[in-house]
Amino acid sequence: MKKVIILILTFAIFSSYGQTKEETVKEKSVLFIVSNTNEIGPNNRKTGVFLPEVAHPYAEFDQANYRIDFASLTGGNTYLDALNLANDPQNLAFLTGKGWEEMQKATKLSDVDVSSYDAVFVPGGLAPMVDMPENAVLKEAIRETYERNSVVGAVCHGPVSLLNVKLSNGTYLLKGKNITSFTNEEEKSYAVDDVPFLLEAALTKQGAKFHAAENWSANSIADGNLVTGQNPASAKGVAEKMIDILEKNDQKKVK
């Protein structure tokens, strides 16, 4: 009888160990939240998600074996800008592989259980400046992700998604955070007549500590579980920093 009990206990211990190891190597997932807009400004400038800002991070997460899903604010009807950059290898891979196909079938954000993802990422392009400054479902998704210590990332105009996000204690998420985005100076030579406001100025007004680098140079910043990038050249760096944070969090759990 004692031998039977010992065998049962031994099996239980090894089963528990196996579950722990399985949880350790559990597939990570990231939700790309994209705009549904294709026009901006008084002259109806054509726009969309800026191709390298979605394609380059997609490539990084895919290489790291993350599950990548897409959500948009209204579901479906997603658009791309900067298709003239399609000859870039990662951009081309996104367009001809699964990336663009999956983005076109983006799920409506309100139908997504955002709490099931390890991270959310918002690419830029001018489009988010139209439909993301005030969207309540988006703001709740960002708050929930940030407050459960999962990773929030955004690049270029994508950090407009952080604007007006209030934490459970009533303070702006941006207050005291080290961040970056498309800068006032960059906007002056790009789309100052089309955007409803200057993003750097708006983020700073809500208490962000803004860090600008040279125009169009790679600049990505991590502050805790919040990662932001300045412009298209920064998209790869944002994804890399997000992955680094997630991998380190996994290592802490194992210890």
Side-chain angles (χ1 to χ4, degrees):
M1 184 64 179
K2 288 183 179 179
K3 289 183 178 180
V4 173
I5 294 173
I6 290 171
L7 286 171
I8 292 172
L9 289 172
T10 302
F11 178 77
I13 290 169
F14 277 99
S15 295
S16 175
Y17 175 77
Q19 288 173 0
T20 302
K21 296 296 286 183
E22 185 179 341
E23 289 172 1
T24 300
V25 297
K26 179 178 71 71
E27 179 187 46
K28 296 184 189 68
S29 58
V30 56
L31 180 68
F32 280 45
I33 305 177
V34 297
S35 171
N36 291 111
T37 301
N38 68 343
E39 289 186 349
I40 186 171
N43 297 313
N44 299 317
R45 175 172 173 165
K46 293 299 181 183
T47 187
V49 178
F50 207 75
L51 175 57
E53 293 175 22
V54 64
H56 290 192
Y58 185 94
E60 294 301 314
F61 287 116
D62 185 56
Q63 186 175 356
N65 295 315
Y66 282 39
R67 190 182 90 243
I68 305 166
D69 294 331
F70 284 89
S72 62
L73 302 190
T74 62
N77 296 321
T78 56
Y79 304 88
L80 285 173
D81 196 359
L83 288 171
N84 59 304
L85 302 176
N87 60 341
D88 169 274
Q90 291 182 333
N91 293 347
L92 185 61
F94 180 84
L95 289 169
T96 59
K98 293 182 179 179
W100 172 230
E101 179 183 349
E102 292 170 350
M103 182 173 153
Q104 291 181 85
K105 298 182 291 186
T107 305
K108 187 176 180 180
L109 183 58
S110 59
D111 294 334
V112 177
D113 178 10
V114 179
S115 68
S116 66
Y117 289 89
D118 298 291
V120 298
F121 171 71
V122 184
L126 292 173
M129 294 291 287
V130 177
D131 60 2
M132 290 192 176
E134 301 285 351
N135 186 278
V137 176
L138 173 64
K139 305 308 168 181
E140 176 59 20
I142 298 292
R143 181 204 63 77
E144 188 277 334
T145 303
Y146 179 82
E147 289 194 330
R148 64 180 161 86
N149 292 318
S150 291
V151 180
V152 175
V155 67
C156 199
H157 291 90
V160 72
S161 62
L162 309 175
L163 197 66
N164 301 314
V165 175
K166 284 192 174 182
L167 302 178
S168 296
N169 63 9
T171 63
Y172 284 117
L173 181 154
L174 289 164
K175 186 176 180 181
K177 299 296 188 302
N178 294 291
I179 70 157
T180 190
S181 76
F182 205 60
T183 67
N184 292 349
E185 286 301 313
E186 287 169 322
E187 201 70 270
K188 288 177 183 176
S189 61
Y190 183 65
V192 69
D193 294 328
D194 301 296
V195 293
F197 54 87
L198 293 175
L199 183 55
E200 175 188 341
L203 297 171
T204 303
K205 188 175 181 180
Q206 290 192 355
K209 297 178 180 178
F210 197 92
H211 300 268
E214 184 179 348
N215 287 0
W216 302 101
S217 64
N219 177 31
S220 56
I221 296 172
D223 188 337
N225 58 325
L226 179 65
V227 185
T228 50
Q230 181 171 323
N231 48 40
S234 312
K236 181 176 185 288
V238 170
E240 289 174 335
K241 285 182 170 63
M242 291 176 70
I243 292 168
D244 185 58
I245 293 169
L246 288 163
E247 297 299 327
K248 287 179 178 177
N249 286 347
D250 263 5
Q251 292 171 11
K252 290 177 183 177
K253 290 176 184 178
V254 173
K255 293 178 182 179

